[in-house]
Amino acid sequence: MEKSSEISKTSLVGITRVELSAALRRLGVPDKQLRMRVNQIWGWLYAHGVREIDQMTNIARDLRESLAAHFSLARLELADAQHSDDGTRKYLFRLDDGQLVETVYIPELDRGTLCISSQVGCTLTCRFCHTGTQKLVRNLTAAEITGQMVAARDDLQDWGGGPQSNSGHRKVTNVVMMGMGEPLYNSDHVADALNVMSDGDGLSLSKRRITLSTSGVAPEIPPMGEKTGVMLAISLHAVADELRDELVPLNKKYPIAQLLDACRNWPGLSNAKRITFEYVMLKNVNDSDADARALVKLLAGIPAKINLIPFNPWPGAPYQCSDEERMQAFADIVNRAGYASPVRRPRGRDIMAACGQLKSASVKQSAAEKKKAELAQRILGR
Ligand code: SAH
Ligand code: SF4
């Protein structure tokens, strides 16, 4: 097969059950066989991760041939992979239109978390976030979102054993939608992709091990819970609207009270299904004892976890991370209120893979940004 014809074929990787069924119908698979065929192909795609349509051995040869004539099993193109000293891996994928997007794998003792992107860049402009400075933005398709997980399983050799072998020895056990982009500005594609990832006959991730993080698109929050049943994280970062307006400008549209109301309407909210509130520690900005006390008060009555994230600096960033002692004092107040909130240890800092540092290298720095970065480097360098 010539390479060019392979490229022009649509890949089945990332396809949803509904799309797969429609595709098979177009190939002439009779209605009464559709369900069975979808199930078979689904298992090959997502439980076994096969690379060749010919490896789908329980599919009749003529159907395999017509599938291969129209479709490929092409993966996202891996443009670059960086490995951190602590085992974190950052992948840079080149999409069909040339855009670049990042995915991060973070191994820990009891789990392996894949941090997946939902958009190229982000239309929002949180002041502490590197992705928010990226100019080019588009939504990822559902296939591009799921494709990040498939490609990571390829790289980590994390296939085999079928869908039942998810606990125990899987390398990717958890997914967080905390890469580039605001997932609730791309709700339909994200919901489709999360439902493919949690399908028990395929990639088979438990819904409790998938977390969607949002900067607070309030009206989209409960519907996303209805559609997917996954876990929710809220990027709160401030306890009063005045400061949150500045840090997370979307707050002007959906202020804290409205955001927390949406959280109270999260389907299934209970102590067993708590919402995680993320709080980035910014030196002398949001890190006082009074802030900690106000945070606890604000969340009273909502089954919640609190995640304190040390600010991860990037060139030209307008903030610094709070000092160790300050973060500890803040954490102590939160802990005394009954939350187990260790300060999260940043991972992959040496390869700029930590939270909020993602920003694909293809985008050129603006002149102003460059100047700021140079200045920051000069200051840090002395
Ligand atoms: N857009 C979504 C998800 C992606 S950001 C959201 O904002 O929730 C994932 C998390 O990283 C968010 O909590 C975000 O606030 C945080 N983050 C962004 N920049 C950061 C930085 N420089 N240091 C630490 N955390 C950061
Ligand atoms: Fe976008 Fe999230 Fe970064 Fe804000 S923190 S700019 S919403 S990616």
Side-chain angles (χ1 to χ4, degrees):
M1 192 79 52
E2 267 177 55
K3 199 149 190 264
S4 58
S5 64
E6 277 298 318
I7 287 170
S8 62
K9 284 183 208 165
T10 310
S11 175
L12 290 177
V13 174
I15 200 166
T16 62
R17 279 184 184 270
V18 173
E19 290 163 348
L20 181 55
S21 180
L24 292 179
R25 180 178 279 129
R26 282 196 301 275
L27 290 184
V29 173
D31 277 1
K32 59 181 187 330
Q33 280 185 25
L34 270 179
R35 224 173 127 84
M36 174 189 68
R37 293 299 183 210
V38 167
N39 284 340
Q40 288 173 325
I41 295 170
W42 193 261
W44 291 116
L45 283 176
Y46 296 128
H48 298 282
V50 296
R51 308 293 288 258
E52 306 284 341
I53 287 174
D54 231 26
Q55 289 173 285
M56 299 182 175
T57 44
N58 60 355
I59 311 276
R61 179 179 289 275
D62 55 343
L63 178 53
R64 263 188 274 160
E65 277 169 7
S66 68
L67 271 175
H70 295 87
F71 298 101
S72 76
L73 298 181
R75 314 311 225 220
L76 294 182
E77 184 194 335
L78 187 58
D80 190 27
Q82 282 176 274
H83 294 195
S84 159
D85 297 340
D86 67 13
T88 301
R89 292 183 184 198
K90 181 162 85 168
Y91 304 109
L92 182 67
F93 295 111
R94 186 174 296 109
L95 308 173
D96 284 349
D97 61 355
Q99 301 274 19
L100 296 166
V101 82
E102 285 170 322
T103 307
V104 178
Y105 174 68
I106 308 152
E108 289 172 278
L109 283 180
D110 61 338
R111 70 183 68 183
T113 304
L114 197 65
C115 179
I116 291 185
S117 293
S118 57
Q119 300 183 305
V120 173
C122 187
T123 50
L124 299 174
T125 51
C126 302
R127 286 198 67 198
F128 50 84
C129 175
H130 203 27
T131 308
T133 66
Q134 184 162 327
K135 304 270 168 332
L136 292 170
V137 178
R138 80 160 166 85
N139 280 341
L140 298 185
T141 64
E144 288 166 339
I145 297 167
T146 309
Q148 296 170 59
M149 171 147 185
V150 171
R153 279 213 167 148
D154 285 344
D155 179 65
L156 297 163
Q157 302 187 325
D158 194 24
W159 295 107
Q164 302 313 328
S165 63
N166 231 358
S167 50
H169 56 269
R170 277 277 186 237
K171 290 192 180 129
V172 178
T173 60
N174 292 52
V175 158
V176 292
M177 295 302 300
M178 294 187 187
M180 300 164 75
E182 170 47 58
L184 294 188
Y185 272 180
N186 188 14
S187 290
D188 289 345
H189 294 165
V190 167
D192 277 349
L194 295 184
N195 286 327
V196 172
M197 291 183 214
S198 65
D199 187 299
D201 297 319
L203 292 166
S204 203
L205 270 181
S206 151
K207 289 171 189 281
R208 307 189 58 87
R209 289 174 172 272
I210 300 177
T211 303
L212 179 138
S213 173
T214 178
S215 59
V217 190
E220 294 284 331
I221 289 175
M224 179 54 87
E226 298 291 352
K227 278 188 269 187
T228 64
V230 301
M231 307 297 282
L232 176 67
I234 300 289
S235 297
L236 189 63
H237 307 319
V239 290
D241 283 323
E242 201 186 351
L243 178 60
R244 196 163 190 273
D245 282 350
E246 192 187 316
L247 299 178
V248 184
L250 184 67
N251 194 67
K252 292 184 205 142
K253 200 161 175 195
Y254 307 116
I256 293 174
Q258 193 181 344
L259 174 57
L260 294 183
D261 268 345
C263 290
R264 290 186 190 95
N265 290 324
W266 181 249
L269 181 62
S270 61
N271 276 339
K273 203 173 173 201
R274 294 166 203 245
I275 296 174
T276 300
F277 288 87
E278 295 157 281
Y279 196 95
V280 64
M281 302 297 299
L282 303 171
K283 187 173 184 167
N284 298 334
V285 174
N286 64 354
D287 61 354
S288 70
D289 284 355
D291 286 317
R293 285 192 292 268
L295 175 61
V296 167
K297 206 162 155 200
L298 188 66
L299 299 184
I302 302 178
K305 286 188 260 186
I306 298 175
N307 233 341
L308 302 178
I309 316 173
F311 170 65
N312 289 307
W314 37 272
Y319 300 106
Q320 286 176 294
C321 183
S322 310
D323 300 332
E324 280 300 326
E325 310 81 67
R326 187 83 298 274
M327 289 197 284
Q328 201 46 61
F330 194 103
D332 286 346
I333 293 174
V334 171
N335 291 156
R336 276 203 296 277
Y339 298 92
S341 306
V343 180
R344 231 170 45 185
R345 191 163 55 94
R347 301 290 303 270
R349 266 194 176 172
D350 53 338
I351 55 171
M352 287 278 283
C355 266
Q357 290 183 318
L358 302 186
K359 175 179 176 180
S360 54
S362 68
V363 180
K364 292 204 185 76
Q365 287 181 319
S366 70
E369 215 184 317
K370 231 182 199 153
K371 229 179 181 167
K372 262 199 264 173
E374 280 165 11
L375 188 67
Q377 235 149 30
R378 272 214 305 277
I379 294 166
L380 289 172
R382 299 250 163 96

